[in-house]
């Protein structure tokens, strides 16, 4: 049995929130669409056309991505432009891969 050691790294909570938001197929599709759109982003109506999601459902999924810090929204007149927060995306991916292949020391715990 190995002791449970929670990582005290403050990035852990942010990364978990981002991954949870991306853990739904519709949100992952929306996020990937916005990644393809780049810095120009897309308005909600265009996202709905590409994903075939009803506007009310899309609003729910966008809210989850915004709350997780992965998507930014900016009002321009009547339109809301949705863009990927590329810094947050890079931080999330970096958190997952920063320590790749550095090795892990396994410590066995004596169980009496």
């Amino acid at each position: 049995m190995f002791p449970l050691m929670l990582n005290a790294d403050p990035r852990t909570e942010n990364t978990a929130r981002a991954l949870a938001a991306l853990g739904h197929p519709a949100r992952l599709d929306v996020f990937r669409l916005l990644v393809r759109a780049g810095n120009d982003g897309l308005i909600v109506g265009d996202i709905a056309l590409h994903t075939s999601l009803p506007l009310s459902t899309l609003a729910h999924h966008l809210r989850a991505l915004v709350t997780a810090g992965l998507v930014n929204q900016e009002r321009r007149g009547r339109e809301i432009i949705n863009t990927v927060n590329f810094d947050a995306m890079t931080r999330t991916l970096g958190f997952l891969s920063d320590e790749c292949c550095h090795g892990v020391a396994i410590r066995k715990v004596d169980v009496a």
Side-chain angles (χ1 to χ4, degrees):
M1 171 78 51
F2 297 100
L4 179 61
M5 295 175 56
L6 296 177
N7 188 344
D9 188 336
R11 299 182 309 159
T12 300
E13 187 173 327
N14 291 336
T15 301
R17 191 175 310 123
L19 293 174
L22 294 172
H24 189 283
R27 287 193 289 271
L28 187 56
D29 285 346
V30 168
F31 186 77
R32 292 184 72 221
L33 175 66
L34 291 173
V35 168
R36 288 191 303 274
N39 290 325
D40 291 336
L42 291 170
I43 61 171
V44 174
D46 288 342
I47 298 170
L49 287 174
H50 283 280
T51 62
S52 300
L53 290 170
L55 289 175
S56 60
T57 302
L58 177 57
H60 164 75
H61 291 307
L62 282 170
R63 187 170 37 257
L65 292 168
V66 169
T67 300
L70 292 169
V71 170
N72 297 317
Q73 292 183 320
E74 179 186 343
R75 181 171 291 281
R76 293 187 195 154
R78 290 181 172 187
E79 299 176 331
I80 296 176
I81 307 296
N82 297 272
T83 57
V84 169
N85 180 342
F86 286 103
D87 289 338
M89 182 182 79
T90 301
R91 282 190 304 271
T92 300
L93 294 173
F95 181 83
L96 295 174
S97 62
D98 281 349
E99 298 177 21
C100 177
C101 309
H102 286 210
V104 175
I106 302 297
R107 294 183 286 151
K108 293 187 179 185
V109 176
D110 291 331
V111 178

